[in-house]
Amino acid sequence: MSRFVHAVHMRWSDMDAYRHVNNSAYLAYLEQARVAMFFHRHEGFSAGTVIARHEIDYLRPVVYHPEPLRLELWIENVRGARFTVRYEVFDRDVLVARAATLCVPFDFTIDRPRRLTAEERGILAGYADDDDRAAIGAHS
């Protein structure tokens, strides 16, 4: 499996009254890593994608410090018009959260979901495990 690794810096304002990073800040961390994975590196996803669902399992609290968190991302469950991005969030090499985002390719000109393009499938295959990589290729 090829994982995409991205460092995300916490902000002081991400902490809540209990002196740990608030759960809502994690959505921003996931978004930063996902955008870096797809949009900063690949022009092929510029056609549009929307988020249909997020899931986050918080395993340990995180307290602000200047070192970035490490997020590792990979792709699972690629279908004709959706795919899942999986994440593991590490604080100083300790796993602190697991998450998943269901992404749907979207055509904003007609305001409807669309099928993944061959170029997008190729990009996703680069971040999938062997079983999912074979399934992605079978749908091309």
Side-chain angles (χ1 to χ4, degrees):
M1 172 180 0
S2 298
R3 290 189 176 195
F4 178 78
V5 179
H6 186 71
V8 174
H9 288 274
M10 296 174 278
R11 299 173 307 174
W12 180 260
S13 62
D14 291 343
M15 281 194 305
D16 61 18
Y18 298 108
R19 298 181 43 133
H20 67 270
V21 173
N22 189 280
N23 63 337
S24 64
Y26 283 79
L27 289 174
Y29 302 158
L30 302 179
E31 178 185 52
Q32 288 175 45
R34 193 174 57 253
V35 166
M37 181 182 195
F38 292 123
F39 302 106
H40 292 174
R41 296 172 50 110
H42 303 287
E43 293 297 318
F45 272 88
S46 62
T49 305
V50 296
I51 304 306
R53 179 183 179 137
H54 287 294
E55 296 176 15
I56 304 175
D57 293 323
Y58 304 97
L59 306 174
R60 295 178 163 275
V62 174
V63 176
Y64 173 84
H65 53 78
E67 297 84 24
L69 299 173
R70 185 179 83 246
L71 280 75
E72 296 184 8
L73 295 71
W74 66 97
I75 303 299
E76 291 183 349
N77 303 321
V78 176
R79 303 292 181 258
R82 70 176 189 215
F83 60 93
T84 301
V85 179
R86 294 277 179 190
Y87 314 78
E88 289 185 340
V89 180
F90 295 88
D91 178 19
R92 298 177 176 160
D93 294 326
V94 174
L95 180 64
V96 296
R98 287 189 178 104
T101 300
L102 178 61
C103 301
V104 177
F106 202 81
D107 185 334
F108 291 100
T109 60
I110 60 172
D111 203 28
R112 296 187 52 88
R114 62 177 176 79
R115 306 223 19 111
L116 285 162
T117 66
E119 182 180 6
E120 289 167 337
R121 285 184 170 285
I123 293 167
L124 295 174
Y127 298 113
D129 66 23
D130 290 338
D131 291 338
D132 280 323
R133 189 173 293 119
I136 295 168
H139 288 98
S140 296

